[in-house]
Amino acid sequence: MRQKITWNAFLIAILMSVSVFGQNTELIWLPVFSYSWEQTEQLGFDASASAFNSLSNLDNSLAIKFIETALIASYATSPKIKLGLGYLHRFATPLIEGYQYEHRLLENISFSSFFGDKKIGHRFVLEQRFRTNKYENRVRYRLSHKFSVGEETAGTFLKLENELLNSFNSESFKGENRFKIAYSKSLKNKKEIEIGIQHRTLNLFTDFDLGQIVLLSTKFSLSK
């Protein structure tokens, strides 16, 4: 019963987000496939592929904004701390004539702490973004927490995340905030599915008007 109530509440949150922001906000669907494996007890890898689909532009060439592939290696220095190094390739605006790209290098550190009896996740990321017509650095900090949805639903979680991003180069500086709520379910044979809703606030710390994106994410993960 508790699982059903939580799932219904999650669906209501999605519908409310779309109805509140849908009139003046871009709507995005982001499907993700992820495959991860452990090379050793400390060293692991995660490979992923995703597509950024604009539901607000299904009738024009911006329907698919970009397609991404990424590979990230992580090394556990302790049970609570992981260091990461990765590469991401973005094929931008594939439906528009002319090749646009982004090559991205990233370095991250993730660790956990406790607030009372609640486990809180922290992640810092540095990114070097080599894009078609410019270079950009980005710093990211994510705060997250997940909790089990009842003892009778082992492997079922509700996740809360908030991430602040700052992008900069020699010419500009801008910020972005991303808040996400997601529902995940572990399946047999090390599989996991996740559905989430994320709200992004754009153009922070600039003279531009704030932009907004409501993003529906669906993720299928497989681990070895």
Side-chain angles (χ1 to χ4, degrees), residues 15-63:
L15 294 175
M16 288 180 64
S17 298
V18 173
S19 63
V20 170
F21 300 108
Q23 298 299 319
N24 58 358
T25 302
E26 187 166 14
L27 304 178
I28 298 294
W29 172 45
L30 180 66
V32 181
F33 174 77
S34 173
Y35 177 71
S36 60
W37 68 98
E38 294 183 354
Q39 195 70 26
T40 67
E41 290 185 357
Q42 294 176 300
L43 180 62
F45 293 89
D46 183 85
S48 64
S50 60
F52 204 78
N53 303 285
S54 174
L55 302 181
S56 305
N57 294 281
L58 291 179
D59 59 344
N60 58 59
S61 58
L62 293 176

Side-chain angles (χ1 to χ4, degrees), residues 79-194:
K80 292 184 177 181
I81 300 176
K82 282 187 178 181
L83 302 178
L85 184 67
Y87 167 76
L88 179 147
H89 178 262
R90 173 180 292 182
F91 178 30
T93 55
L95 299 182
I96 295 179
E97 185 177 354
Y99 178 65
Q100 299 184 54
Y101 65 85
E102 178 180 330
H103 299 287
R104 186 186 308 176
L105 302 177
L106 60 93
E107 307 83 38
N108 69 62
I109 178 171
S110 58
F111 58 95
S112 60
S113 63
F114 283 87
F115 184 76
D117 61 345
K118 305 297 183 183
K119 186 177 181 180
I120 307 298
H122 308 265
R123 188 186 72 172
F124 288 93
V125 183
L126 298 176
E127 296 178 333
Q128 300 80 49
R129 308 176 71 183
F130 301 87
R131 311 172 94 171
T132 305
N133 54 3
K134 66 177 180 179
Y135 170 79
E136 189 175 69
N137 296 293
R138 188 159 67 178
V139 179
R140 308 169 63 157
Y141 169 63
R142 187 183 73 188
L143 189 68
S144 62
H145 172 63
K146 72 176 184 178
F147 49 92
S148 178
V149 186
E151 295 181 356
E152 71 277 12
T153 55
T156 304
F157 296 93
L158 200 61
K159 301 178 181 180
L160 299 176
E161 298 179 353
N162 194 79
E163 185 172 33
L164 182 64
L165 305 88
N166 290 304
S167 302
F168 60 94
N169 55 26
S170 60
E171 301 174 351
S172 64
F173 179 90
K174 61 182 178 179
E176 180 179 338
N177 192 77
R178 301 176 179 178
F179 174 76
K180 180 180 178 180
I181 179 172
Y183 178 91
S184 68
K185 174 73 174 178
S186 296
L187 306 175
K188 295 180 180 179
N189 301 320
K190 297 184 178 180
K191 299 181 179 70
E192 181 181 88
I193 57 172
E194 177 184 297

